[in-house]
Amino acid sequence: MRKIPDTIAHLAALRARHATHTADLGASDHLQTLADFGTNPGGLGAKFYIANHLSKGAPLVVVLHGCTQNAAGYNHHSGWSQLADEAGLMRLALKKSSRIPRRRQKALRNIRRMS
């Protein structure tokens, strides 16, 4: 398994290789939507990518993009899917929902009433 500095160097090389390509942050890509993954009380969304040549016991890399990014833009500009293909791994990108769970909404209302 690669160490973090090696992975960072590899991602930097991929980025340099693809730096001449510009893409819209909302560009479509080859990520697939993970439709159902349990009760999901936090309202998370998820997209995933599985390398073309996935070996048994391949690692799963979970990535989180920034609040102003989306999975497609982050995927394109970070090079994670290219790394997944080269290293034979799976990638999962999580997205927090903007909706607040009901129990938290109720707690916020109670706090407002007290003030």
Side-chain angles (χ1 to χ4, degrees):
M1 181 160 86
R2 288 188 176 158
K3 296 185 186 272
I4 295 291
D6 295 335
T7 302
I8 291 170
H10 194 75
L11 286 171
L14 282 171
R15 183 177 179 154
R17 210 174 7 186
H18 298 288
T20 56
H21 303 295
T22 58
D24 177 51
L25 285 180
S28 63
D29 65 346
H30 50 275
L31 296 176
Q32 299 175 47
T33 299
L34 184 59
D36 184 21
F37 53 96
T39 58
N40 197 10
L44 294 175
K47 298 212 174 226
F48 68 95
Y49 180 77
I50 298 175
N52 294 326
H53 303 289
L54 190 66
S55 61
K56 185 176 180 176
L60 169 67
V61 176
V62 178
V63 297
L64 302 171
H65 58 76
C67 295
T68 60
Q69 296 172 310
N70 62 38
Y74 183 74
N75 181 59
H76 174 78
H77 293 287
S78 68
W80 274 111
S81 290
Q82 291 88 352
L83 181 62
D85 282 334
E86 291 177 15
L89 55 89
M90 298 174 284
R91 192 180 134 258
L92 177 67
L94 299 175
K95 178 185 178 203
K96 182 189 169 299
S97 173
S98 59
R99 72 181 172 96
I100 300 172
R102 288 188 185 274
R103 65 179 178 272
R104 187 165 174 207
Q105 287 176 353
K106 185 176 180 182
L108 289 172
R109 278 195 304 272
N110 289 340
I111 291 169
R112 287 184 192 123
R113 286 182 192 151
M114 288 187 241
S115 50

